[in-house]
C-alpha cells in the first residue's frame, strides 16, 4: 500500500465490463495483477498468458506459482506452431528491434483473437479493458491501439504512480523475483531480440538446444 501514490478507478461504460490482465511473466505484469487484486479483491479479473513456445525457462513455473498464491486461474494460450516454426514457415524472416513481427504474431494476435471470442460469447455490448503494465516512469511507452470500439487499454501502474523500484519491491515481497531475471533484464523468449550479449551467452548455457536452433535459423 505504501508504494501506491495515485488514484485508480475501474473503468465502466456498459453493463458487461470485462477486466483482463495479460500475464507475460514479466515483473510489470505480475505487479499489475497483484496491485489490482489488492485494490479490488472481489473484482472478476481474467488473467491470460500468450505462450510463444520458446519462453524463458522458469516462466511456466512462476505463472503456476501465481495461481497457487492468488487462487486465480491464468488462461494459457498455446500456439499450434511455436515462434521458431512460424519463422521457418515464413522463409526465415527474422524479427528485429525495428520489425517486431514476433510480438505481433505470438502475443498481440492471439490475445486479440481471444478478446474477439469473448465478445462473441458474451455479446456485442461487452467492453473489454486490457490492463497494461506501463509504469509511471515510462511516459514514452504506449499500449496497443485497438481498432475495435469495445476493447480499450488502461494503465493502472502509471495512474498509481508506481515506478520500477516499486514494481521490484512489490513482486519481491509477494512472490519473489523470478529466477530468469538473474541473467536477463526482461522476461519473454529465451532469444529475445532485445537481449544483451551476456544474456544470450547465459541462455546458451541454460538452453543450448534452443540457442542452436536459433543460430541455425540466422545462418
Amino acid at each position: 500500500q505504501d508504494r501506491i501514490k495515485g488514484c485508480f478507478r475501474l473503468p465502466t461504460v456498459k453493463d458487461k465490463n470485462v477486466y483482463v490482465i495479460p500475464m507475460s511473466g514479466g515483473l510489470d505484469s505480475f505487479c499489475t495483477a497483484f496491485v489490482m487484486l489488492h485494490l479490488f479483491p472481489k473484482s472478476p479479473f481474467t488473467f491470460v498468458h500468450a505462450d510463444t513456445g520458446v519462453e524463458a525457462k522458469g516462466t511456466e513455473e512462476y505463472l503456476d506459482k501465481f495461481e497457487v498464491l492468488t487462487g486465480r486461474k491464468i488462461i494459457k494460450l498455446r500456439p499450434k506452431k511455436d515462434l521458431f516454426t512460424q519463422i521457418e514457415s515464413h522463409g526465415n524472416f527474422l524479427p528485429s528491434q525495428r520489425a517486431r513481427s514476433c510480438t505481433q504474431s505470438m502475443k498481440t494476435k492471439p490475445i486479440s483473437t481471444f478478446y474477439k471470442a469473448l465478445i462473441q460469447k458474451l455479446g456485442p455490448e461487452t467492453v473489454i479493458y486490457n490492463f497494461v503494465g506501463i509504469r509511471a516512469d515510462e511516459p514514452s511507452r504506449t499500449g496497443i491501439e485497438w481498432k475495435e470500439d469495445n476493447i480499450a487499454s488502461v494503465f493502472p501502474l502509471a495512474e498509481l504512480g508506481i515506478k520500477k523500484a516499486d514494481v521490484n519491491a512489490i513482486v519481491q515481497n509477494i512472490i519473489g523475483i523470478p529466477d530468469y531475471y538473474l541473467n536477463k533484464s526482461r522476461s519473454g523468449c529465451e532469444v529475445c531480440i532485445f537481449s544483451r550479449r551476456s544474456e544470450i551467452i547465459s541462455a546458451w548455457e541454460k538452453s543450448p538446444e534452443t540457442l542452436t536452433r536459433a543460430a541455425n535459423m540466422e545462418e
Side-chain angles (χ1 to χ4, degrees):
Q1 182 65 45
D2 60 348
R3 295 281 175 175
I4 297 174
K5 307 172 184 65
C7 179
F8 177 80
R9 291 184 179 181
L10 289 177
T12 56
V13 174
K14 299 181 180 180
D15 293 334
K16 290 188 178 180
N17 301 286
V18 179
Y19 306 122
V20 183
I21 302 179
M23 303 291 292
S24 66
L27 297 181
D28 294 337
S29 63
F30 273 122
C31 183
T32 300
F34 288 135
V35 171
M36 291 298 97
L37 289 174
H38 167 70
L39 294 177
F40 310 102
K42 296 182 179 180
S43 295
F45 292 104
T46 297
F47 302 91
V48 60
H49 170 71
D51 192 348
T52 64
V54 288
E55 299 287 327
K57 283 192 173 181
T59 301
E60 184 83 16
E61 288 77 5
Y62 259 83
L63 294 175
D64 292 344
K65 191 174 180 180
F66 172 87
E67 291 183 328
V68 172
L69 181 64
T70 63
R72 302 294 185 102
K73 183 70 176 176
I74 299 175
I75 298 172
K76 296 171 183 175
L77 308 178
R78 309 285 188 185
K80 293 182 179 179
K81 297 180 180 179
D82 66 23
L83 175 61
F84 288 175
T85 304
Q86 281 204 25
I87 292 173
E88 289 166 347
S89 63
H90 288 82
N92 274 15
F93 180 79
L94 299 175
S96 69
Q97 294 186 16
R98 291 187 176 182
R100 297 175 60 180
S101 55
C102 48
T103 302
Q104 178 65 30
S105 63
M106 303 302 294
K107 297 290 184 180
T108 304
K109 186 176 180 180
I111 289 180
S112 177
T113 301
F114 172 71
Y115 286 170
K116 291 175 181 177
L118 268 182
I119 293 170
Q120 186 175 11
K121 178 181 178 181
L122 300 176
E125 68 276 16
T126 302
V127 177
I128 294 179
Y129 292 99
N130 179 66
F131 283 64
V132 184
I134 293 179
R135 307 184 306 267
D137 54 350
E138 298 179 299
S140 61
R141 284 188 63 196
T142 59
I144 300 171
E145 295 183 2
W146 299 99
K147 296 180 181 179
E148 296 81 1
D149 294 333
N150 48 356
I151 304 177
S153 292
V154 291
F155 310 95
L157 298 187
E159 293 189 37
L160 292 168
I162 294 177
K163 300 180 180 180
K164 183 176 179 60
D166 303 312
V167 166
N168 292 345
I170 289 170
V171 176
Q172 175 62 39
N173 290 339
I174 295 175
I175 199 172
I177 302 296
D179 296 340
Y180 41 88
Y181 272 95
L182 294 175
N183 299 299
K184 288 172 65 67
S185 58
R186 61 177 65 236
S187 63
C189 296
E190 199 80 70
V191 291
C192 178
I193 52 179
F194 291 96
S195 295
R196 301 167 182 166
R197 185 173 183 272
S198 60
E199 294 171 347
I200 290 293
I201 294 173
S202 175
W204 206 304
E205 294 171 346
K206 290 185 175 182
S207 307
E209 68 288 345
T210 300
L211 272 291
T212 298
R213 186 178 173 192
N216 290 337
M217 291 171 62
E218 286 189 333
E219 185 177 335

